[in-house]
Amino acid sequence: MMRRQLALLAMWISLAANAQVVSEHDMKAAYLYNFAHLFDWPESSRANFHLCVLGEEDVGAALQRFDERRVDGKRIVIARLSSLAPIRLCDILYVGVGELPSLPKIRSTLGSQPTLVVTDRGNLPAVGVMLGIENSRLVFDVNLEQCERAGLKAKPTLLGFARSVRRAGEAEARPLPASLPGK
């Protein structure tokens, strides 16, 4: 019994020593990359998949590790934007806190173009996905109405992991039942 406890203690110490703290920016970058795989994207003649960051340099830097990976056979290109001019080239556009006042202009510029707009502040009706921190965990809410307006179809896996989902015609996002996957 004592040997088993010592072995468990040694394993726990080893795991604790090897545990890495992941920064909030790295977590956001990983979520953005995974969102690329958790939506069905409309057909496009473009050779690359553009994952763009507007106004959040730390998230843009963290995303660089995903540069040149692939989604649906297309090479991922990370674009760190300093203006709204190129946003129509983005498949996913992460809008940093400093650019939130630009959300209405972003929405009107994109129209129904298939671009997933993601932010971590502001209001969910203006974006497709909103990130948040809850109990030291990164969580997200999905606005299906915005996604569908952009021609994007969220896969069931994404919806299963979402904290809440806002469907067309609903004033607020609804928390998902605990029985769904990921809950």
Side-chain angles (χ1 to χ4, degrees), residues 49-65:
F49 185 94
H50 293 90
L51 211 162
C52 307
V53 176
L54 178 65
E56 187 82 29
E57 192 57 34
D58 291 334
V59 173
L63 269 171
Q64 286 306 131
R65 74 174 190 235

PDB file of all heavy atoms in Angstrom, residues 49-65:
ATOM      1  N   PHE A  49      -6.403  29.706 -46.889  1.00  0.00           N
ATOM      2  CA  PHE A  49      -7.397  29.999 -45.860  1.00  0.00           C
ATOM      3  C   PHE A  49      -6.793  31.089 -44.986  1.00  0.00           C
ATOM      4  O   PHE A  49      -5.747  30.881 -44.367  1.00  0.00           O
ATOM      5  CB  PHE A  49      -7.696  28.741 -45.039  1.00  0.00           C
ATOM      6  CG  PHE A  49      -8.796  28.911 -44.041  1.00  0.00           C
ATOM      7  CD1 PHE A  49     -10.100  28.573 -44.375  1.00  0.00           C
ATOM      8  CD2 PHE A  49      -8.539  29.396 -42.763  1.00  0.00           C
ATOM      9  CE1 PHE A  49     -11.124  28.720 -43.447  1.00  0.00           C
ATOM     10  CE2 PHE A  49      -9.548  29.553 -41.845  1.00  0.00           C
ATOM     11  CZ  PHE A  49     -10.848  29.213 -42.188  1.00  0.00           C
ATOM     12  N   HIS A  50      -7.418  32.260 -44.948  1.00  0.00           N
ATOM     13  CA  HIS A  50      -6.852  33.420 -44.241  1.00  0.00           C
ATOM     14  C   HIS A  50      -7.437  33.567 -42.845  1.00  0.00           C
ATOM     15  O   HIS A  50      -8.634  33.795 -42.690  1.00  0.00           O
ATOM     16  CB  HIS A  50      -7.086  34.698 -45.039  1.00  0.00           C
ATOM     17  CG  HIS A  50      -6.327  34.709 -46.319  1.00  0.00           C
ATOM     18  ND1 HIS A  50      -6.854  34.214 -47.496  1.00  0.00           N
ATOM     19  CD2 HIS A  50      -5.075  35.127 -46.599  1.00  0.00           C
ATOM     20  CE1 HIS A  50      -5.951  34.337 -48.453  1.00  0.00           C
ATOM     21  NE2 HIS A  50      -4.865  34.881 -47.938  1.00  0.00           N
ATOM     22  N   LEU A  51      -6.578  33.434 -41.853  1.00  0.00           N
ATOM     23  CA  LEU A  51      -6.937  33.624 -40.458  1.00  0.00           C
ATOM     24  C   LEU A  51      -6.341  34.969 -40.050  1.00  0.00           C
ATOM     25  O   LEU A  51      -5.117  35.107 -39.973  1.00  0.00           O
ATOM     26  CB  LEU A  51      -6.360  32.473 -39.634  1.00  0.00           C
ATOM     27  CG  LEU A  51      -7.122  32.041 -38.400  1.00  0.00           C
ATOM     28  CD1 LEU A  51      -6.703  30.668 -37.972  1.00  0.00           C
ATOM     29  CD2 LEU A  51      -7.090  33.019 -37.313  1.00  0.00           C
ATOM     30  N   CYS A  52      -7.204  35.956 -39.823  1.00  0.00           N
ATOM     31  CA  CYS A  52      -6.758  37.341 -39.624  1.00  0.00           C
ATOM     32  C   CYS A  52      -6.986  37.818 -38.204  1.00  0.00           C
ATOM     33  O   CYS A  52      -7.963  37.430 -37.555  1.00  0.00           O
ATOM     34  CB  CYS A  52      -7.512  38.273 -40.568  1.00  0.00           C
ATOM     35  SG  CYS A  52      -7.438  37.786 -42.311  1.00  0.00           S
ATOM     36  N   VAL A  53      -6.103  38.695 -37.754  1.00  0.00           N
ATOM     37  CA  VAL A  53      -6.221  39.328 -36.440  1.00  0.00           C
ATOM     38  C   VAL A  53      -6.146  40.825 -36.646  1.00  0.00           C
ATOM     39  O   VAL A  53      -5.224  41.331 -37.281  1.00  0.00           O
ATOM     40  CB  VAL A  53      -5.088  38.869 -35.493  1.00  0.00           C
ATOM     41  CG1 VAL A  53      -5.165  39.596 -34.163  1.00  0.00           C
ATOM     42  CG2 VAL A  53      -5.161  37.364 -35.283  1.00  0.00           C
ATOM     43  N   LEU A  54      -7.146  41.520 -36.101  1.00  0.00           N
ATOM     44  CA  LEU A  54      -7.197  42.968 -36.183  1.00  0.00           C
ATOM     45  C   LEU A  54      -7.108  43.546 -34.782  1.00  0.00           C
ATOM     46  O   LEU A  54      -7.994  43.335 -33.959  1.00  0.00           O
ATOM     47  CB  LEU A  54      -8.504  43.416 -36.853  1.00  0.00           C
ATOM     48  CG  LEU A  54      -8.744  44.916 -36.986  1.00  0.00           C
ATOM     49  CD1 LEU A  54      -7.703  45.548 -37.919  1.00  0.00           C
ATOM     50  CD2 LEU A  54     -10.150  45.181 -37.500  1.00  0.00           C
ATOM     51  N   GLY A  55      -6.000  44.228 -34.510  1.00  0.00           N
ATOM     52  CA  GLY A  55      -5.872  44.975 -33.259  1.00  0.00           C
ATOM     53  C   GLY A  55      -5.508  44.208 -32.013  1.00  0.00           C
ATOM     54  O   GLY A  55      -5.717  44.699 -30.917  1.00  0.00           O
ATOM     55  N   GLU A  56      -4.982  43.035 -32.100  1.00  0.00           N
ATOM     56  CA  GLU A  56      -4.572  42.293 -30.899  1.00  0.00           C
ATOM     57  C   GLU A  56      -3.246  41.602 -31.223  1.00  0.00           C
ATOM     58  O   GLU A  56      -3.206  40.438 -31.612  1.00  0.00           O
ATOM     59  CB  GLU A  56      -5.634  41.278 -30.509  1.00  0.00           C
ATOM     60  CG  GLU A  56      -5.389  40.573 -29.210  1.00  0.00           C
ATOM     61  CD  GLU A  56      -5.823  41.353 -27.988  1.00  0.00           C
ATOM     62  OE1 GLU A  56      -6.760  42.161 -28.088  1.00  0.00           O
ATOM     63  OE2 GLU A  56      -5.208  41.143 -26.939  1.00  0.00           O
ATOM     64  N   GLU A  57      -2.180  42.330 -31.078  1.00  0.00           N
ATOM     65  CA  GLU A  57      -0.860  41.871 -31.498  1.00  0.00           C
ATOM     66  C   GLU A  57      -0.432  40.569 -30.819  1.00  0.00           C
ATOM     67  O   GLU A  57       0.169  39.697 -31.459  1.00  0.00           O
ATOM     68  CB  GLU A  57       0.175  42.969 -31.244  1.00  0.00           C
ATOM     69  CG  GLU A  57       1.508  42.717 -31.893  1.00  0.00           C
ATOM     70  CD  GLU A  57       1.437  42.517 -33.409  1.00  0.00           C
ATOM     71  OE1 GLU A  57       0.597  43.139 -34.076  1.00  0.00           O
ATOM     72  OE2 GLU A  57       2.236  41.702 -33.918  1.00  0.00           O
ATOM     73  N   ASP A  58      -0.762  40.399 -29.526  1.00  0.00           N
ATOM     74  CA  ASP A  58      -0.343  39.184 -28.814  1.00  0.00           C
ATOM     75  C   ASP A  58      -1.033  37.931 -29.366  1.00  0.00           C
ATOM     76  O   ASP A  58      -0.414  36.874 -29.464  1.00  0.00           O
ATOM     77  CB  ASP A  58      -0.619  39.317 -27.321  1.00  0.00           C
ATOM     78  CG  ASP A  58       0.281  40.359 -26.654  1.00  0.00           C
ATOM     79  OD1 ASP A  58       1.387  40.611 -27.177  1.00  0.00           O
ATOM     80  OD2 ASP A  58      -0.129  40.919 -25.621  1.00  0.00           O
ATOM     81  N   VAL A  59      -2.300  38.042 -29.728  1.00  0.00           N
ATOM     82  CA  VAL A  59      -3.005  36.904 -30.319  1.00  0.00           C
ATOM     83  C   VAL A  59      -2.428  36.616 -31.707  1.00  0.00           C
ATOM     84  O   VAL A  59      -2.215  35.464 -32.077  1.00  0.00           O
ATOM     85  CB  VAL A  59      -4.532  37.158 -30.386  1.00  0.00           C
ATOM     86  CG1 VAL A  59      -5.228  36.037 -31.150  1.00  0.00           C
ATOM     87  CG2 VAL A  59      -5.110  37.275 -28.987  1.00  0.00           C
ATOM     88  N   GLY A  60      -2.139  37.668 -32.464  1.00  0.00           N
ATOM     89  CA  GLY A  60      -1.523  37.499 -33.781  1.00  0.00           C
ATOM     90  C   GLY A  60      -0.187  36.783 -33.692  1.00  0.00           C
ATOM     91  O   GLY A  60       0.110  35.880 -34.485  1.00  0.00           O
ATOM     92  N   ALA A  61       0.606  37.160 -32.707  1.00  0.00           N
ATOM     93  CA  ALA A  61       1.907  36.509 -32.521  1.00  0.00           C
ATOM     94  C   ALA A  61       1.727  35.041 -32.146  1.00  0.00           C
ATOM     95  O   ALA A  61       2.444  34.163 -32.651  1.00  0.00           O
ATOM     96  CB  ALA A  61       2.711  37.249 -31.456  1.00  0.00           C
ATOM     97  N   ALA A  62       0.753  34.749 -31.279  1.00  0.00           N
ATOM     98  CA  ALA A  62       0.510  33.369 -30.864  1.00  0.00           C
ATOM     99  C   ALA A  62       0.002  32.514 -32.030  1.00  0.00           C
ATOM    100  O   ALA A  62       0.280  31.317 -32.092  1.00  0.00           O
ATOM    101  CB  ALA A  62      -0.485  33.338 -29.703  1.00  0.00           C
ATOM    102  N   LEU A  63      -0.717  33.120 -32.948  1.00  0.00           N
ATOM    103  CA  LEU A  63      -1.243  32.385 -34.108  1.00  0.00           C
ATOM    104  C   LEU A  63      -0.159  31.957 -35.088  1.00  0.00           C
ATOM    105  O   LEU A  63      -0.363  31.028 -35.870  1.00  0.00           O
ATOM    106  CB  LEU A  63      -2.262  33.239 -34.861  1.00  0.00           C
ATOM    107  CG  LEU A  63      -3.708  33.092 -34.447  1.00  0.00           C
ATOM    108  CD1 LEU A  63      -4.564  34.149 -35.112  1.00  0.00           C
ATOM    109  CD2 LEU A  63      -4.235  31.708 -34.753  1.00  0.00           C
ATOM    110  N   GLN A  64       0.969  32.613 -35.071  1.00  0.00           N
ATOM    111  CA  GLN A  64       2.039  32.318 -36.041  1.00  0.00           C
ATOM    112  C   GLN A  64       2.421  30.845 -36.049  1.00  0.00           C
ATOM    113  O   GLN A  64       2.829  30.325 -37.074  1.00  0.00           O
ATOM    114  CB  GLN A  64       3.262  33.195 -35.785  1.00  0.00           C
ATOM    115  CG  GLN A  64       3.083  34.634 -36.204  1.00  0.00           C
ATOM    116  CD  GLN A  64       2.652  34.806 -37.656  1.00  0.00           C
ATOM    117  OE1 GLN A  64       1.716  35.531 -37.941  1.00  0.00           O
ATOM    118  NE2 GLN A  64       3.316  34.142 -38.580  1.00  0.00           N
ATOM    119  N   ARG A  65       2.266  30.153 -34.932  1.00  0.00           N
ATOM    120  CA  ARG A  65       2.648  28.730 -34.912  1.00  0.00           C
ATOM    121  C   ARG A  65       1.731  27.878 -35.783  1.00  0.00           C
ATOM    122  O   ARG A  65       2.054  26.731 -36.076  1.00  0.00           O
ATOM    123  CB  ARG A  65       2.696  28.216 -33.475  1.00  0.00           C
ATOM    124  CG  ARG A  65       1.360  28.007 -32.837  1.00  0.00           C
ATOM    125  CD  ARG A  65       1.530  27.350 -31.476  1.00  0.00           C
ATOM    126  NE  ARG A  65       0.255  26.950 -30.971  1.00  0.00           N
ATOM    127  CZ  ARG A  65      -0.228  27.299 -29.811  1.00  0.00           C
ATOM    128  NH1 ARG A  65       0.478  28.047 -28.996  1.00  0.00           N
ATOM    129  NH2 ARG A  65      -1.399  26.886 -29.425  1.00  0.00           N
TER     130      ARG A  65
END
